[in-house]
Amino acid sequence: MQLMKVRLLFFAVLRDIAGTDVRELAVDEGTTARDVWQSLRNEFAKLTDYTQPPMIAVNESYAEPETILRDGDELAFIPPVAGG
Amino acid sequence: MQLMKVRLLFFAVLRDIAGTDVRELAVDEGTTARDVWQSLRNEFAKLTDYTQPPMIAVNESYAEPETILRDGDELAFIPPVAGG
Amino acid sequence: MSYLTDDPIDAHALVARVMRPSDGAYVLFEGVVRNHHEGKTVESIFYDAYRPMAEKEIDAIVRETTAHYPDVALAVVHRLGHLVVGDSSIAIVASSTHRAEAFEACRMMIDRIKDTVPIWKKERGPNGEEWVGWQGRC
Amino acid sequence: MSYLTDDPIDAHALVARVMRPSDGAYVLFEGVVRNHHEGKTVESIFYDAYRPMAEKEIDAIVRETTAHYPDVALAVVHRLGHLVVGDSSIAIVASSTHRAEAFEACRMMIDRIKDTVPIWKKERGPNGEEWVGWQGRC
């Protein structure tokens, strides 16, 4: 199985929780955005209760949780927006 | 019959037509705002076609055409407004 | 405090006069002299008013709007005299905790002002001048 | 042309950028840091964004709004970073021949921007700080 590189960006509350604004991930082929969220829930206690991922962006566009990641993708979880 | 003094103000197109911005009128008791309009129609050819008076203000408040004028009243005909 | 002025409108000052620390939004409306009206070229506008009555009518509209939107702070000024294309004839500011009320109150103000306040305009263009709204109303 | 800035917003310049001689009205909306939110005192706000995506999303909203109101000219800028009470976080200008479209386009812009653009705010008050919208959403 091929390993792919994905760039994971953290913003707002997620950056505070992760303690970083970016992480390079090596993921298996077929990995979805939702899979990455589950791994973050396992890693960070503050996310354990968040069974559903927030909004998701792949390559700067909104995407579904079941989106299968490709090599070189930029992934970001988008907490509830509060602009304006 | 008692004569009363009424101050008639002209604005906008009516001032242009009348050639003045104010006129002191001596009117009979019982004279209405509409009566004054009729006399203006008789006087100024440019108003002849305007059988119905425009909006009417008596003492700086909108009033009905049948309002009976009282001594010392300030009367104004209000052409279609175009503020803003 | 007069709602009418013969000078250029300073919308920025109007906003500053209205804003309170509790306000999360404001909506500023300005009416501006445009270069056309009903297909004709406009170069300038002369605004005339029945001043004391216009002051009273605008004040009544401010009170009605405030009664309808108690959380909204309002300011309005209408300019009179000769204005050219690009000049502001009216500025209205509505500020509020939330944006919805600010939008609605500002809209209510301008709609009512255009409807009832005794202010008139004479438009001037290459083919002469005309009091807006008079021709053809009889 | 960026829709995001780290500097104070100059709404006056934004208006000047938008206005055309054919415009008879403009509506300016500004969102302002207020001193309270859901019953709590607010002293300052930190605005964060996924900048390139926020630029794209705002641009998409400008295009949608323009498609809906073709006569309207639009400008918008959102400020990021630390803001205190009274600072403007966003300014939107919509100008048009007639006022109705300017009001509606301006309202559509702010509603959509608040809905989809990846911008976040952390409110700071006497009892600490909090990312707005996160607590209790799980």
Side-chain angles (χ1 to χ4, degrees), chain B:
Chain B
M1 194 177 262
Q2 210 187 325
L3 270 187
M4 298 179 306
K5 284 190 174 172
V6 168
R7 193 175 161 81
L8 176 58
L9 305 182
F10 296 99
F11 296 103
V13 66
L14 296 176
R15 184 175 46 215
D16 285 1
I17 289 170
T20 181
D21 54 5
V22 61
R23 179 188 282 186
E24 304 292 340
L25 300 181
V27 300
D28 294 331
E29 214 174 328
T31 298
T32 64
R34 184 189 294 278
D35 294 335
V36 177
W37 181 253
Q38 298 308 337
S39 70
L40 293 175
R41 286 181 58 222
N42 292 334
E43 181 176 354
F44 299 109
K46 286 185 177 170
L47 298 181
T48 307
D49 290 345
Y50 292 77
T51 52
Q52 292 302 315
M55 299 282 280
I56 287 161
V58 176
N59 300 327
E60 304 176 356
S61 294
Y62 284 110
E64 295 301 316
E66 311 316 328
T67 302
I68 293 171
L69 300 171
R70 294 168 305 181
D71 192 46
D73 273 354
E74 182 175 281
L75 171 65
F77 295 101
I78 309 289
V81 301

Side-chain angles (χ1 to χ4, degrees), chain C residues 19 21-32 34-36 85 97-100 103 106-107 110-111 114, chain D residues 19 21-32 34-36 85 97-100 103 106-107 110-111 114:
Chain C
M19 293 299 290
S22 61
D23 289 324
Y26 78 82
V27 173
L28 164 65
F29 171 86
E30 284 204 67
V32 181
R34 59 173 194 253
N35 64 5
H36 62 105
V85 172
T97 298
H98 301 291
R99 70 187 182 283
F103 270 104
C106 191
R107 185 72 193 273
I110 181 61
D111 287 353
K114 281 183 175 271
Chain D
M19 293 299 289
S22 61
D23 288 323
Y26 77 81
V27 173
L28 164 65
F29 172 86
E30 285 204 68
V32 181
R34 60 172 192 254
N35 63 7
H36 62 104
V85 172
T97 297
H98 300 292
R99 70 187 183 284
F103 270 105
C106 191
R107 185 71 193 272
I110 181 61
D111 287 353
K114 281 183 174 271

Side-chain angles (χ1 to χ4, degrees), chain C residues 31-45 47 83-89 114 121 123-124 132, chain D residues 19-25 71 96-99:
Chain C
V32 181
V33 177
R34 59 173 194 253
N35 64 5
H36 62 105
H37 179 62
E38 292 177 357
K40 282 183 290 191
T41 298
V42 174
E43 291 165 347
S44 66
I45 290 183
Y47 277 96
L83 280 70
V84 298
V85 172
D87 283 347
S88 291
S89 53
K114 281 183 175 271
K121 60 181 176 189
E123 287 181 347
R124 234 162 254 187
V132 172
Chain D
M19 293 299 289
R20 304 158 297 186
S22 61
D23 288 323
D71 183 48
S96 186
T97 297
H98 300 292
R99 70 187 183 284

Side-chain angles (χ1 to χ4, degrees), chain A residues 20-65:
Chain A
T20 181
D21 55 6
V22 61
R23 178 189 284 186
E24 305 291 340
L25 300 181
V27 300
D28 294 331
E29 214 174 328
T31 298
T32 65
R34 183 190 295 278
D35 294 334
V36 177
W37 180 254
Q38 298 308 336
S39 72
L40 292 176
R41 286 182 59 222
N42 291 335
E43 182 176 353
F44 300 108
K46 286 184 177 174
L47 298 181
T48 307
D49 291 345
Y50 292 77
T51 52
Q52 291 303 315
M55 299 282 279
I56 287 161
V58 176
N59 300 326
E60 302 176 358
S61 293
Y62 284 110
E64 295 300 314

Side-chain angles (χ1 to χ4, degrees), chain A residues 82-84, chain D residues 29 31-32 47 78 89-90 110 113-114 119 121:
Chain D
F29 172 86
V32 181
Y47 277 95
H78 199 302
S89 53
I90 188 169
I110 181 61
I113 286 171
K114 281 183 174 271
I119 295 176
K121 61 180 174 187

